[in-house]
Amino acid sequence: MAHAFLSKRIVTPQGTQPGALLLEGEKIRAICRPSEIPPHAVTHDCGNDALLPGLVDTHVHINQPGRTEWEGFRTATRAAAAGGYTTLVDMPLNCLPETTTVDALEEKRAAAQGECFVDWAPWGGAVADNQQHILPLARAGVLGFKCFLIYPGCDGFTMIDQQQLEAALPFIAESGLPLLVHAELAGPIDAATDGLLYADWRSYATYLASRPDQAELEAIRLMIRLCRRYRFRLHIVHLSTSLALEELRAARAEGLPITVETCPHYLHFAAEEIADGATLLKCAPPIRSKENQQQLWRGLRDGTIDMVVTDHSPCPPAMKREDIGRFDLAWGGIAGISLALSIIHTECSRRGFTLDNIVRWMSSAPAALAGISHRAGTLEAGRDANFVIFDTEAEFTVTADKLHYRHVISPYLNERLRGVVKATYLRGSAVYREDAFAAEPLGREVTL
Ligand SMILES: [Zn+2]
């Protein structure tokens, strides 16, 4: 049965245009004029709502298997569907076992089976001692690798030092897959933290001072040098410091294969506005100044930052230590996948950005990073029929019932946001519509 979705604003790679999105089975058959809709097609009129490609989030911590009490495939993908996402790529840490061997990858696949409301794919880990597992993981279907240049907060997934990294890089380069790097170095952080032993750790200023820009800047400089030497696809995750933008721009101008992401919380919150004890806003690298935030938006505008992904990183509420409000003791990570589109749309409405910008940052560019542009990331004939019906005018107040992930805590509670996901379609089927989810989880693993 063919279906046609009529909209005044369909966001395509050629721009936003009125027309009809014509589906056949699980695929997009065409984007056509209303007069070209075949007579037998079932027509759905989306009125003033926009049609966007399903969003792709390449930075999600699903934590299953092993820490399913933090999050899990069922809850994370449900929240993703409510947020307009149709594909998630899962980070290899925080789950047990960590995704650093093919055996561990198979355990993750078994855990995901029949649990996913949207499609998913795995990143593999590059840790201190798994260099010999890089190419087997690539052959087994991970879309790329993640590494930490600093202690990642959990013991099992080890940080990688320069020597260990250089032992892995020839294999990563050979795989052709991207290396996603948590770019902070311990040196500047340890030096800063030494001076804060007796500081007030309920104060956000203390936490911010403990993770200086310099830690990111030095890590990014190291990675640019290594990228020049080994010529692998380098991706900087969750860029927080705007001080690195100029060097990243220059490295890309030199022709190095570098991409950069930032996250909604860096684009929406600013250090000056974070109350003491507000540990829900602890993440690493930290949310920095208002001026820094403006520069990140400039980085998006000029293309130095390619994409906006969530770094959805939940934990059990007690671990955020809101009881004592100490930033040194709280878990670092912000959950928010169900709200990201509305947050970014709200910010973009104020700043003169368009739906085309949002789609590039939140769908096409992450799909390209993950190597799955043939399936997702644009509304074009032949792609999977993954799309979002998005009301750009409606506003809502964030309440816990809008979050849909396992632990419904959020620093965005009570905020007024503009833009509501009315429905999310995965391969032609509504997985989320008007606050209700598909009866069956229809998500599958996406492969290259
Ligand atoms: Zn993360």
Side-chain angles (χ1 to χ4, degrees):
M1 179 76 78
H3 286 263
F5 289 78
L6 275 173
S7 168
K8 297 191 180 79
R9 288 177 295 161
I10 304 181
V11 184
T12 74
Q14 289 75 42
T16 298
Q17 57 190 64
L21 180 70
L22 194 61
L23 316 186
E24 197 156 80
E26 297 192 341
K27 297 284 181 186
I28 298 170
R29 187 163 118 191
I31 293 163
C32 62
R33 281 194 281 273
S35 60
E36 295 167 333
I37 297 174
H40 63 276
V42 181
T43 301
H44 310 258
D45 190 347
C46 300
N48 286 321
D49 297 340
L51 288 184
L52 325 179
L55 305 183
V56 177
D57 194 350
T58 50
H59 196 150
V60 188
H61 297 266
I62 296 178
N63 303 335
Q64 192 179 355
R67 285 197 182 88
T68 312
E69 71 276 16
W70 292 25
E71 184 61 294
F73 280 102
R74 188 165 282 260
T75 45
T77 59
R78 194 176 58 177
Y85 287 91
T86 50
T87 313
L88 307 184
V89 192
D90 176 49
M91 283 296 173
L93 61 153
N94 302 349
C95 49
L96 297 168
E98 298 81 6
T99 320
T100 51
T101 65
V102 173
D103 285 349
L105 173 63
E106 294 307 334
E107 284 193 51
K108 183 165 283 286
R109 285 175 166 150
Q113 195 69 37
E115 291 288 301
C116 297
F117 284 88
V118 301
D119 287 346
W120 77 285
W123 295 124
V127 292
D129 58 358
N130 81 327
Q131 292 83 358
Q132 73 280 17
H133 294 280
I134 296 292
L135 287 173
L137 276 164
R139 283 192 289 270
V142 301
L143 302 188
F145 297 91
K146 167 81 178 283
C147 73
F148 272 75
L149 302 181
I150 191 168
Y151 178 67
C154 276
D155 288 340
F157 192 94
T158 47
M159 63 166 279
I160 195 163
D161 67 23
Q162 185 177 341
Q163 195 181 359
Q164 294 156 345
L165 187 54
E166 291 200 56
L169 285 176
F171 300 120
I172 289 168
E174 186 183 337
S175 76
L177 299 175
L179 176 66
L180 288 70
V181 181
H182 180 119
E184 283 183 298
L185 287 183
I189 289 174
D190 292 345
T193 307
D194 281 350
L196 295 167
L197 206 54
Y198 301 105
D200 174 10
W201 280 93
R202 280 184 47 83
S203 158
Y204 186 74
T206 301
Y207 178 60
L208 181 58
S210 77
R211 295 195 92 112
D213 299 82
Q214 201 61 22
E216 275 191 83
L217 202 51
E218 287 184 16
I220 288 168
R221 285 178 184 151
L222 167 66
M223 292 313 304
I224 290 173
R225 285 198 302 276
L226 292 174
C227 183
R228 196 177 285 123
R229 191 178 315 156
Y230 293 93
R231 285 278 160 174
F232 60 95
R233 290 169 59 199
L234 168 61
H235 179 74
I236 304 296
V237 298
H238 50 47
L239 181 75
S240 161
T241 179
S242 63
L243 299 185
L245 286 170
E246 204 174 303
E247 285 168 61
L248 286 165
R249 203 176 295 130
R252 289 159 59 119
E254 183 189 326
L256 297 179
I258 300 174
T259 49
V260 182
E261 70 181 40
T262 191
C263 308
H265 36 275
Y266 301 120
L267 297 167
H268 181 74
F269 295 110
E272 294 90 330
E273 296 155 2
I274 298 178
D276 291 349
T279 50
L280 287 179
L281 284 159
K282 179 179 174 181
C283 59
I287 294 163
R288 303 188 191 276
S289 70
K290 191 88 197 161
E291 168 57 24
N292 182 77
Q293 182 204 82
Q294 301 293 359
Q295 295 297 336
L296 291 179
W297 278 104
R298 250 168 245 151
L300 279 164
R301 189 184 292 279
D302 71 19
T304 309
I305 301 175
D306 302 270
M307 64 194 82
V308 178
V309 296
T310 67
D311 195 6
H312 177 74
S313 183
C315 66
M319 290 178 67
K320 289 306 271 184
R321 300 310 309 260
E322 288 186 278
D323 52 339
I324 51 171
R326 280 186 54 166
F327 283 95
D328 53 339
L329 302 180
W331 172 257
I334 295 176
I337 195 167
S338 36
L339 301 174
L341 176 56
S342 301
I343 294 159
I344 294 301
H345 180 259
T346 302
E347 292 291 342
C348 283
S349 310
R350 293 179 191 140
R351 294 164 191 272
F353 290 106
T354 63
L355 290 175
D356 302 78
N357 296 123
I358 295 176
V359 162
R360 195 171 70 243
W361 300 333
M362 301 181 80
S363 185
S364 321
L369 170 69
I372 55 170
S373 298
H374 58 296
R375 296 282 300 275
T378 48
L379 295 179
E380 277 188 299
R383 301 292 205 285
D384 285 354
N386 296 343
F387 61 96
V388 186
I389 302 177
F390 188 56
D391 182 341
T392 56
E393 302 308 313
E395 296 190 358
F396 69 104
T397 300
V398 179
T399 47
D401 62 312
K402 302 263 196 295
L403 301 179
H404 302 293
Y405 40 84
R406 184 176 300 284
H407 301 291
V408 289
I409 54 171
S410 166
Y412 297 99
L413 279 182
N414 302 316
E415 287 212 32
R416 191 88 185 145
L417 298 179
R418 181 157 176 238
V420 170
V421 173
K422 301 268 281 281
T424 303
Y425 281 75
L426 179 71
R427 284 180 270 104
S429 296
V431 288
Y432 173 81
R433 186 163 50 198
E434 310 283 355
D435 293 321
F437 295 92
E440 289 297 313
L442 300 171
R444 302 197 288 244
E445 184 180 345
V446 184
T447 50
L448 289 176

